[in-house]
Amino acid sequence: MARMSMVEAIRDAIDVAMDADERVVVFGEDVGYFGGVFRCTQGLQAKYGKSRVFDTPINESGIIGVAIGMAAYGLRPIAEIQFADYVYPGYDQIVSEAARLRHRSAGDFTAPLVIRMPCGGGIHGGQTHSQSPEALFTHVAGLKVVMPSNPGDAKGLLTAAIEDPDPVIFFEPKRLYNGPFDGYHNRPLSSWKNHPLGEVPEGRHLVPLGKAARLSEGDEVTILAYGTLVHVALAAVAELGIRADVLDLRTLLPLDLAAIRNSVQKTGRCVIAHEATFTSGFGAELAALVQAECFHSLEAPVQRVTGWDTPYPHAQEWHYFPGPKRLKAGIRRALDGLGEAVS
């Protein structure tokens, strides 16, 4: 296997897909000659030409609208929104057109498109470059929502998304692009090149949508996380010295409810971690599902450790980010049988 960063793995997935299927096209702001602001599409325009990899105006509603039209026509577009924070002008197109096309046409038309967007904080991007709006898309019937936590999954899940017959929202935690991040911002950066999860299969690599991955096994508590918070969870568990099931959800919609149910029924305790805001975050849906599916197994209230209900701050970024200290406190509350701490 090759060792890659998440940037390289995403680029490789697109490259393999474009080589195998001439219907795959890539476009967005600065994705062509420049290779994208994070270089995820670097070199693809030179390889496949300007008709298949091209730049667009700064117009998210236009980018999404063109992608939907291409998909309905029979292409398989990969549209990049430069930051997830910029998707809102195109949100109506995603919800009202892409997600509904199969249903409103009684299956005559589909929208096999992928919308890629970097998300999350950890790079001092402030309130307009750090958001995690995944919950807004999990509410929409007709969409699939994905957020990988490592290069191998990034390539495999993106391959599955490109080949899927329906629209997929593909979130890329930007703090993980070049290496894993355990939440300790004051420590030296680490690279995927030296990390076990930095191994990426060459050629076509597929990770099915809707399947969680268990990255740590134990019987004391279940931790549900995705994206950057997977690595924070692993760090917190190691520091506490506990036996925990850490589930990387990977796909939020469709959700691997069976894996969640099996784990919580075993451990009797559940902690949910994500970077997005607390109120109406995806963790609320997860908590409701755990309560409904595992009520008789729960020995303590479900805990949520998340971002605060504020815009993502620039100067106070690490007070907002749910790092190991806050996650360990949530785990301890679950182990002690205490109620959820909400502030």
Side-chain angles (χ1 to χ4, degrees), residues 1-11 13 146-158 170-181 191-193 195-201 205 207 211-215 225-231 234 246-251:
M1 290 191 188
R3 287 191 172 271
M4 301 181 185
S5 68
M6 189 180 286
V7 169
E8 293 168 332
I10 289 167
R11 184 191 306 138
V146 179
M147 190 184 299
S149 70
N150 61 77
D153 282 351
K155 180 178 179 179
L157 291 166
L158 184 53
F170 196 88
F171 287 101
E172 300 166 8
K174 64 179 77 71
R175 180 68 200 220
L176 300 182
Y177 269 148
N178 294 307
F181 179 60
S191 169
W192 287 116
K193 303 295 184 183
H195 194 281
L197 294 176
E199 292 187 344
V200 181
H205 170 51
V207 174
K211 295 293 183 182
R214 185 168 60 187
L215 299 185
Y226 51 90
T228 306
L229 268 292
V230 169
H231 303 279
L234 292 171
V246 176
L247 294 187
D248 179 356
L249 298 181
R250 303 197 293 193
T251 304

Side-chain angles (χ1 to χ4, degrees), residues 274-284 303-310 320 326 340-343:
H274 62 64
E275 193 174 345
T277 51
F278 178 87
T279 301
S280 298
F282 190 61
Q303 301 286 326
R304 285 179 289 166
V305 181
T306 72
W308 305 120
D309 285 344
T310 68
Y320 180 98
R326 285 175 54 196
E340 185 176 64
V342 182
S343 58

Side-chain angles (χ1 to χ4, degrees), residues 23 104 116 119 124 152 166 193 203 226 311 329:
R23 296 175 300 170
R104 71 188 299 180
R116 296 179 41 248
C119 67
H124 296 290
D166 290 301
K193 303 295 184 183
Y226 51 90

